[in-house]
Amino acid sequence: MRDGVLFEITKDALETGLRGVPVGYCVTSFVDPIKGLTYVGRPISELVNRDPIELIYLLYFGEQGSSEQVAEFQKDLNKRSKCKAETIAAIASLPTVGHPMDAFSAALIVAGMFEGTGDYREDCLNIIAKLPQITAAVINSHAKWGTTPEPKPELGYIENFVHMLNMPGEKTAELIAAMRLFNAIHYDHNGGNLSAFVGKAVASGLEHMYGSLAAAMTALSGPRHGRANQDCLKFVQSVLDDVGENAKAADVEALIRRKLENKELVFGFGHAVLRVEDARATVCYNYCQKHFPTHPLVKIALLLRSEGTKVLKENPKIANPYPNIDAITGSMLTAAGFPYPDYFTVLFGLSRCVGIAIQIVYERLEARDGKGTPIVRPLYLYKSRT
Ligand code: MLT
């Protein structure tokens, strides 16, 4: 490649979803095709046991905070964490038909009406602080689980969220630990994933933070993006129903071959950037092997991991025959005591809004020596259809 040229735009690159085309800088995270996700240069596998506030600090400030700095940050977020009564009342009155991601995007718009300041940095911090309450209110309302309790941020970021969820069943330490892990691995995935890209593109027109995040969450809602976690769980469940929980590797292998022969989808494999198993998935597989090794869905998800990879590798046209994050998170949440797949993508959104909001602050207030990036306006070549 010529000096200074990052990517040659040839005709082959058109209509391929901008794959591999560099369009800017991301100050929060990077996804290497082989090494996987890093937050501010640190591999995700090394960060998963950190407190959410420590991780949010890392992403927001671009460096690890001392314990005093993190405690100060936590205090600031705690002060911002409670939404106005009008916000929660409006979220509680949203329609309960349709997918909960529709309600989640609408809730962000509604929250912007009551809580927005018009200042990207203030709104970023406010929204990060208020997300647990907004998300719990969306889920409680959509699931008809009753009135959302008052936030108790002093419990901890995810502990507070779980406290506000009126889900039936016990809120065990196991559930909180799995929710913390799920939250930690979903904050950010570089700037080019669809929801981050859309959120920043909308913000480039100077739409406010809440509206930009609402747009980002409609992007996340698509089954090729965030909603894949819900669909993957359905797939694992269907395989379990088919082969039974005592299935052997050969049974799962045969089922995958049958599905491929019938041109049916095998969910949870491949990624636009990654060329090995998703580092986030590896963390979750290890976690499930340690904590839920006998859960039927986990057993099947582990067999799909090995057998799916084996079968898909035989096809040289498949660039990445390895599992992605969505292959395992649904089984993990279910095994941990949250068997509500309709809300898995909302949980993804609770986490991902953090990274996108921080990326928006960078692009609006810091990029190009503070001038900010211009309005997104790529070129489409004219082509006649006749
Ligand atoms: C994500 O976490 O956003 C997904 O893996 C999709 C992506 O990175 O493009």
Side-chain angles (χ1 to χ4, degrees):
M1 205 163 282
R2 283 175 291 121
D3 256 8
V5 176
L6 297 171
F7 190 89
E8 305 259 20
I9 302 282
T10 62
K11 284 207 165 153
D12 300 346
L14 302 180
E15 299 193 329
T16 60
L18 285 170
R19 284 291 188 288
V21 181
V23 292
Y25 294 102
C26 179
V27 296
T28 46
S29 66
F30 188 68
V31 179
D32 179 90
I34 307 299
K35 294 186 196 138
L37 173 63
T38 45
Y39 287 166
V40 192
R42 291 151 176 87
I44 191 65
S45 58
E46 290 173 15
L47 297 174
V48 287
N49 295 322
R50 303 270 184 97
D51 187 81
I53 302 297
E54 260 184 79
L55 293 177
I56 296 170
Y57 185 103
L58 175 69
L59 293 167
Y60 184 77
F61 290 103
E63 60 185 21
Q64 197 167 306
S66 66
S67 42
E68 294 76 32
Q69 286 169 321
V70 173
E72 265 313 297
F73 188 54
Q74 167 117 52
K75 244 202 253 161
D76 179 36
L77 291 180
N78 287 2
K79 273 196 241 138
R80 298 170 184 266
S81 65
K82 191 169 151 38
C83 293
K84 291 180 180 152
E86 298 93 304
T87 307
I88 298 303
I91 293 173
S93 68
L94 287 171
T96 54
V97 290
H99 194 275
M101 278 305 281
D102 296 341
F104 189 56
S105 298
L108 289 169
I109 290 283
V110 161
M113 291 170 172
F114 293 112
E115 316 275 349
T117 68
D119 177 302
Y120 285 112
R121 201 175 281 285
E122 273 298 291
D123 283 346
C124 170
L125 291 170
N126 284 340
I127 218 163
I128 289 172
K130 292 176 203 305
L131 269 168
Q133 194 187 10
I134 293 171
T135 311
V138 166
I139 297 178
N140 288 335
S141 160
H142 191 275
K144 304 194 175 62
W145 286 346
T147 312
T148 302
E150 290 292 297
K152 288 189 183 168
E154 65 281 5
L155 294 176
Y157 195 70
I158 290 301
E159 290 78 352
N160 177 33
F161 168 65
V162 175
H163 143 75
M164 287 183 281
L165 270 187
N166 288 332
M167 52 178 280
E170 224 190 315
K171 295 173 181 175
T172 60
E174 243 175 22
L175 172 68
I176 289 171
M179 287 269 195
R180 275 172 64 112
L181 173 58
F182 183 94
N183 195 251
I185 59 179
H186 283 93
Y187 287 133
D188 214 40
H189 212 233
N190 187 239
N193 69 79
L194 184 67
S195 47
F197 185 70
V198 165
K200 289 183 292 181
V202 171
S204 79
L206 300 188
E207 166 63 346
H208 54 70
M209 180 64 86
Y210 288 85
S212 303
L213 288 177
M217 291 301 104
T218 61
L220 189 73
S221 179
R224 282 190 184 168
H225 191 15
R227 209 184 294 186
N229 62 7
Q230 175 178 356
D231 292 348
C232 279
L233 193 267
K234 259 193 224 149
F235 177 72
V236 178
Q237 181 67 59
S238 76
V239 173
L240 172 62
D241 294 344
D242 210 314
V243 296
E245 71 166 290
N246 297 319
K248 301 271 173 285
D251 304 319
V252 174
E253 180 186 339
L255 181 83
I256 294 169
R257 290 193 189 283
R258 256 196 334 270
K259 283 192 181 292
L260 293 175
E261 267 158 34
N262 296 338
K263 308 252 174 294
E264 287 173 43
L265 284 178
V266 174
F267 289 79
F269 291 86
H271 191 274
V273 177
L274 296 166
R275 292 296 170 262
V276 294
E277 181 173 286
D278 191 326
R280 301 168 298 175
T282 308
V283 166
C284 294
Y285 283 125
N286 293 343
Y287 188 85
C288 285
Q289 270 166 328
K290 185 163 173 207
H291 295 279
F292 317 114
T294 59
H295 192 281
L297 286 169
V298 169
K299 280 164 49 183
I300 295 297
L302 287 166
L303 286 174
L304 280 168
R305 176 198 201 185
S306 58
E307 302 318 296
T309 303
K310 183 163 109 189
V311 175
L312 295 175
K313 262 184 175 175
E314 291 168 8
N315 182 346
K317 284 199 198 130
I318 298 180
N320 175 8
Y322 298 97
N324 57 45
I325 179 70
D326 305 309
I328 181 64
T329 49
S331 301
M332 179 177 85
L333 289 171
T334 306
F338 192 79
Y340 307 106
D342 283 352
Y343 302 110
F344 289 172
T345 312
V346 181
L347 298 184
F348 191 156
L350 162 67
S351 175
R352 184 55 60 88
C353 277
V354 171
I356 300 175
I358 297 170
Q359 291 196 39
I360 288 174
V361 168
Y362 168 74
E363 287 216 343
R364 298 290 22 99
L365 306 178
E366 296 170 19
R368 300 164 84 229
D369 296 325
K371 286 199 295 286
T373 54
I375 188 166
V376 169
R377 205 321 182 176
L379 169 69
Y380 280 69
L381 304 178
Y382 176 72
K383 177 174 145 182
S384 162
R385 287 147 81 207
T386 55

